[in-house]
Amino acid sequence: MALVKTQTDEPITVDARQAGRDCASLMVQLAASDPTARRWAARDLVDCPDAAPALVARLKQEADVSVREVILTTLTSLGDATAVAGLVDCLRSEDVALRNEAIEAMQKLPDAVAPMMRGLLADSDPDVRIFAVNILESLCHPEVETWLIEVIDRDSHVNVCGTAVDLLGEVGTVSARESLLRLQVRFADEPYIRFATDLALGRLREA
Amino acid sequence: MKRILIIDDAATVRLYHRQILEAANFAVEEAMNGIEALEKVLQSSFDLYLVDINMPKLDGYGFLRELRSGDLPQVPAIMISTEAQPADEQRAYAAGANLYVIKPVKPDQLLAQVRVLLGEVAQ
């Protein structure tokens, strides 16, 4: 039996902008009670060069996932120092979803993120250093392997090194070989590091 | 044979845990994030979950909350994470974990904890 579409005369709900579209009004609407209004405001602020501070402030308290997504997209489009600093700040959040969203956003900003990568990889918080390695996973930048080698040569935290080794298994070349071997010696009592480095060593490509 | 679902976005970690568990005669399946794990839970039954925290799409806390609040088969879950703060552990238990373990795990340690949660005698 053929399926027949039901016809309806009900009007289609239009997800339309309801308020002023100048930059000042849009920043005010970021705090609107209606998530649709907040979402439209976040989207339209992409044309406002000074919008990053307001977007970052909203991001930290925004509970609606769809609004957060748009804020992150707009911050990524703006890509200025305030936007990137706001994303870095999110790495320290206790909200796991927000942290992961920030990591994904930063992966799309290689030119803006690259200058601060060594600082992030040397952060005093090992969790932030792990998230920094996670950013490298999809950061299209020629220095990625160099940064990862520096991590496994210098970082004292086993899980920071373990995360870097996992990624070196995907992007590493023979340039990483000696550092991986040194890491095995440094964490000789950690079976996971032995396992991960053996795996990475077997996958290294020609430089 | 008891079936264990490993949920972790790091391929090396999944492989490491799989190797340990399969050597001890457990059947293992893998998921890369919480969404994929929920799909697998809906398709077949498991006896235990090993759950990472930081994963894209749906993190470990989110997976456990969905699992524990939904009409899904309820089995024990071990949360295994690099995050070592007491607050991380408290959040894991609040989300529905039965045990919290900090990475990296040693094979004997992991097997002992798995067997305890499966109701087997630890060896």
Side-chain angles (χ1 to χ4, degrees), chain A residues 22-36:
Chain A
D22 60 282
C23 293
S25 299
L26 290 170
M27 288 189 213
V28 170
Q29 286 165 53
L30 278 177
S33 56
D34 176 13
T36 303

Side-chain angles (χ1 to χ4, degrees), chain A residues 91-94 99 119-132 155 157 160, chain B residues 82-85:
Chain A
L91 299 181
R92 302 183 196 283
S93 168
E94 296 298 330
R99 284 197 316 244
L120 284 175
L121 290 169
D123 195 274
S124 60
D125 182 347
D127 288 339
V128 171
R129 302 206 294 279
I130 288 171
F131 302 146
D155 205 295
H157 197 288
V160 180
Chain B
T82 58
E83 298 191 40
Q85 299 300 317

Side-chain angles (χ1 to χ4, degrees), chain A residues 98-142:
Chain A
L98 178 60
R99 284 197 316 244
N100 283 326
E101 288 158 6
I103 287 169
E104 283 182 35
M106 291 174 76
Q107 287 169 338
K108 294 171 187 157
L109 295 167
D111 293 338
V113 168
M116 60 177 59
M117 193 44 75
R118 277 201 170 91
L120 284 175
L121 290 169
D123 195 274
S124 60
D125 182 347
D127 288 339
V128 171
R129 302 206 294 279
I130 288 171
F131 302 146
V133 174
N134 292 152
I135 291 167
L136 296 183
E137 190 179 333
S138 295
L139 190 78
C140 295
H141 194 278

Side-chain angles (χ1 to χ4, degrees), chain A residues 48-78:
Chain A
C48 300
D50 299 325
L55 288 162
V56 167
R58 183 66 219 173
L59 180 62
K60 290 176 183 172
Q61 55 181 302
E62 179 58 60
D64 188 293
V65 175
S66 70
V67 179
R68 272 204 329 230
E69 273 180 21
V70 177
I71 292 175
L72 285 160
T73 304
T74 301
L75 282 173
T76 308
S77 298
L78 292 172

